[in-house]
Amino acid sequence: MAREEWTHYGFREVPLTEKQGMVDDVFHSVAARYDLMNDLMSAGLHRAWKDALVTAVNAPKTDRAFRLLDVAGGTGDISFRVIDSGGPAVTATVVDINENMLAEGKRRAEKDAHARRRDDAIRFVEGNAEALPFPDRHFDAVTIAFGIRNVPRIPLALQEAHRVLRHGGHFLCLEFSSVDVPGLDKLYDLYSFNMIPAMGRAVTGDAEAYRYLVESIRRFPKPDAFAAMMEEAGMRRVTHQRMSGGIVALHSGWRL
Ligand SMILES: C[S@@+](CC[C@H](N)C(=O)[O-])C[C@H]1O[C@@H](n2cnc3c(N)ncnc32)[C@H](O)[C@@H]1O
């Protein structure tokens, strides 16, 4: 019998085949209050981090067609922002494994369609980052924000992002990283291990879900190691920038 592969789920070691189900439970549980929790946990900072990602996507403001794929796109936050930042031919596909997160996004799209006067700009697709249900070389840009650390087989997800990018397409990954400013690191630990699960309990009724989120951040590879994983998957001209003292990092790579 083949030996079982193990991975981490927060600070726990779990069989690789079980991680996705556990992650799915987290996002089923928090979907309805997910956007509110982001604002509370980050004191609104996640908006600035996402703005940096959207600026880097640099969707055309002209009539030129531009197709974005937002992997682990959840409630569609990145996609809405990219559409708003670009011209009339910018479209976005949100792919996520969790139908509850997608349902929140669809609700939001219906509410906003009138304001945007474009209800065909965004579509929501249920799918796994490790096996994207899209053809090769289809998208101008692929983004993944606060999603990759939840995916059990990160190298597979990176290969898939590379596969669906057109030649010259841009991959951008926004993810929590490691704080390296003396003093801030202690404060950040105190805040994340104590306050965030307590906030999670108060707002979503689920402290455990937010304990997992905090722990999973600590297990995620350091920026240089993640850059090397991107290169391994075929991305070129890989760079990264750290923001807010290293709380998050934005990685960029190209299919060339
Ligand atoms: C922290 S949320 C990020 C949502 C959104 N990108 C944002 O920035 O607001 C992480 C998302 O990753 C999704 N996810 C986890 N594993 C996935 C997988 N294997 N494939 C696709 N999505 C996945 C979850 O369902 C969840 O919606």
Side-chain angles (χ1 to χ4, degrees):
M1 205 172 70
R3 214 162 55 88
E4 194 165 35
E5 282 184 78
W6 289 71
T7 186
H8 45 78
Y9 171 81
F11 288 164
R12 285 161 54 193
E13 298 302 308
V14 297
L16 187 61
T17 48
E18 283 177 25
K19 174 163 171 164
Q20 188 69 62
M22 298 167 88
V23 167
D24 293 350
D25 288 346
V26 166
F27 290 102
H28 280 306
S29 160
V30 304
R33 314 304 294 275
Y34 175 78
D35 289 314
L36 172 65
M37 261 308 278
N38 275 350
D39 272 329
L40 292 176
M41 275 188 314
S42 73
L45 262 179
H46 77 109
R47 293 166 185 266
W49 300 329
K50 286 175 173 170
D51 282 349
L53 170 63
V54 171
T55 302
V57 170
N58 195 21
K61 301 208 171 6
T62 59
D63 287 350
R64 184 157 66 81
F66 183 87
R67 285 198 283 234
L68 169 76
L69 175 66
D70 186 26
V71 179
T75 59
D77 214 18
I78 298 300
S79 294
F80 289 119
R81 286 164 194 266
V82 170
I83 289 168
D84 289 347
S85 74
V90 175
T91 55
T93 302
V94 179
V95 64
D96 198 285
I97 204 162
N98 194 308
E99 76 269 21
N100 291 31
M101 294 291 280
L102 292 170
E104 288 301 318
K106 282 182 203 158
R107 241 192 300 281
R108 210 168 134 187
E110 276 157 25
K111 218 166 78 194
D112 290 4
H114 186 64
R116 286 200 172 81
R117 275 167 288 161
R118 288 181 65 206
D119 49 12
D120 60 342
I122 187 163
R123 66 177 172 141
F124 293 87
V125 177
E126 200 175 318
N128 191 336
E130 295 177 356
L132 292 172
F134 307 108
D136 295 355
R137 299 177 186 266
H138 190 67
F139 294 98
D140 297 286
V142 174
T143 52
I144 180 162
F146 306 117
I148 194 96
R149 75 178 188 284
N150 298 297
V151 175
R153 299 166 190 86
I154 293 174
L156 261 189
L158 291 173
Q159 282 164 28
E160 280 292 88
H162 184 263
R163 178 183 66 76
V164 301
L165 269 178
R166 70 165 171 79
H167 187 77
H170 198 182
F171 173 75
L172 287 149
C173 176
L174 184 65
E175 190 49 272
F176 289 107
S177 193
S178 45
V179 174
D180 59 356
V181 178
L184 181 62
D185 49 358
K186 303 250 171 354
L187 213 63
Y188 180 62
D189 274 356
L190 208 68
Y191 175 73
S192 38
F193 285 109
N194 297 293
M195 300 284 287
I196 289 182
M199 264 187 221
R201 180 183 296 114
V203 177
T204 70
D206 191 344
E208 272 317 301
Y210 282 91
R211 201 179 317 282
Y212 157 72
L213 290 179
V214 170
E215 290 179 3
S216 64
I217 291 169
R218 300 308 195 281
R219 297 298 303 255
F220 190 68
K222 298 261 184 298
D224 285 338
F226 186 66
M229 290 169 84
M230 284 173 57
E231 276 165 10
E232 186 69 21
M235 310 285 181
R236 294 295 168 255
R237 287 204 259 139
V238 175
T239 55
H240 69 265
Q241 71 185 84
R242 302 166 78 109
M243 290 182 264
S244 307
I247 294 177
V248 300
L250 175 62
H251 281 77
S252 156
W254 299 81
R255 177 168 189 170
L256 296 176

